[in-house]
Amino acid sequence: MSEGFDLAIAGGGLAGLSLAILMRQAGFSVCLLEQKRYPFHRVCGEYIAMESWPFLQRLGIDLEPLKLPRITRLLVSDPRGRNLERPLQPGGFGISRYTLDQLLARQAQELGVVLREQTPVRAIVPTADGMQLSVGVGSHAEEISARVACGAFGKLASLDRQLRPAALPARSGVPTFVGFKYHLRTRFASDLIALHNFAGGYCGLSRVEDDVVCCCYLVSQQAFERVGGQRERLEAEVLAQNPYLKSIWQHAEFVFDKPQAIAQVHFAPRSQVQQGVILLGDAAGLIPPLCGNGMSMAFYSAKLLAPLLQARLQGQLSHAELTARYTRQWQRAFSTRLRAGRLLQHCFGQPLLIQGLLSGLRPLPALADRLIGLTHGEAF
Ligand SMILES: Cc1cc2nc3c(=O)[nH]c(=O)nc-3n(C[C@H](O)[C@H](O)[C@H](O)COP(=O)(O)OP(=O)(O)OC[C@H]3O[C@@H](n4cnc5c(N)ncnc54)[C@H](O)[C@@H]3O)c2cc1C
């Protein structure tokens, strides 16, 4: 068994990396375990709500030199291309996950976080004086001990099988989605995020750094199965019915040979603590991507959790008090936007519902803006 840490975090996405940085900034020893190696691409729309900007600065991430696109307009189209456009206030910015996660990982290492890449966490179990993590595989397998363990392992992870098997989509029967992400070179306004619907899903487009456009779509498992699970067929026969998407697929230069892909995405409510492990980011609750707020929620959950963990590690809170306070604060911060997100998710990808929603909102711009506002939070 290796030395013990104050905190061990399973998963080095935005939630895990930002929590690791906050806890190191406060002087605690942190081990962060990530199954992949940075930098790497992920399925994500790569639009970050402006509310996260000050938080990233406090983590020590200086985004100014990157001259990132500032996004202040939203265009939503139905599958036939009829659209609604609204200003986004305060809007967001575009940055690839390849770049952002790498910046955060470097910052964590510079501050002294023990960052173990290519090290999957296989199990987390409570011990008499903390938590024990079984990590790595084969000859790299080892045990790590920590006073507290957090799970920041994202939307769907093998760790869910250990920590909450009953909530797996295959067992709970919740509808699931498949996601794909491309990077494109094409003409596309730098201040715009577009959400184009098609039967069974929707596709988001917005700019990131280096003149690249991120193109990311989510499709229901059912709609994907209707085309035999063939992505090319889905794009040619279903996405292309929306004239905006048809034009993108006809004219854009695709940067990757193949898109990044993810399956088994679901939006059913999740628990924030499981078997003594405190969960954050998508592991604690996933907002539908059309809201463009999952990354900000990942950051904000780390911001909520860090002071509570510090109080716990300084002996000011019991584990039970820590988990009760975190769960309460998490629910207070996110339950409204999660409900609004699930409601919108229900309409998106349903041709009649989205047509009805857009026609209903066209003469009521204030209501449209209110709905958009419900999916976001205040700057933090
Ligand atoms: C199609 C789609 C589009 C989206 N678009 C947007 C958008 O435009 N804007 C927005 O704000 N949000 C968007 N989101 C949501 C956003 O991507 C997530 O909310 C955000 O990535 C959550 O961060 P996280 O740190 O919780 O998880 P992740 O970023 O998924 O990170 C989890 C990490 O844990 C690692 N991991 C998993 N299991 C283990 C293990 N056992 N051991 C070690 N490491 C492990 C993974 O490799 C990964 O690096 C989108 C989501 C989807 C599905």
Side-chain angles (χ1 to χ4, degrees), residues 11 13-15 34-35 42 45-47 97 121 153 281-282 294-295:
L14 302 182
E34 166 54 47
Q35 64 189 359
R42 300 171 189 267
E46 304 185 329
Y47 160 90
R97 292 296 301 271
V121 177
F153 43 74
D282 283 357
M295 292 193 269

Side-chain angles (χ1 to χ4, degrees), residues 10-16 33-36 38 40 42-49 97 101 119-122 152-159 179-180 193 216-218 262 265 267 280-283 286-289 291-296 298:
L14 302 182
L33 303 133
E34 166 54 47
Q35 64 189 359
K36 296 195 181 167
Y38 304 99
F40 57 95
R42 300 171 189 267
V43 175
C44 182
E46 304 185 329
Y47 160 90
I48 308 194
R97 292 296 301 271
D101 292 54
T119 308
V121 177
R122 290 178 284 105
F153 43 74
K155 301 163 233 333
L156 175 83
S158 50
L159 267 177
F180 294 99
I193 177 161
C216 185
Y217 69 85
L218 195 71
I262 187 171
V265 177
F267 305 103
L280 68 161
D282 283 357
L286 174 58
I287 190 163
C291 301
N293 206 249
M295 292 193 269
S296 293

Side-chain angles (χ1 to χ4, degrees), residues 219-241:
V219 57
S220 72
Q221 182 70 35
Q222 260 183 344
F224 194 49
E225 280 168 12
R226 279 201 293 273
V227 291
Q230 294 173 42
R231 171 179 48 82
E232 290 90 342
R233 239 186 97 193
L234 180 79
E235 290 165 1
E237 294 175 16
V238 184
L239 273 75
Q241 286 176 22

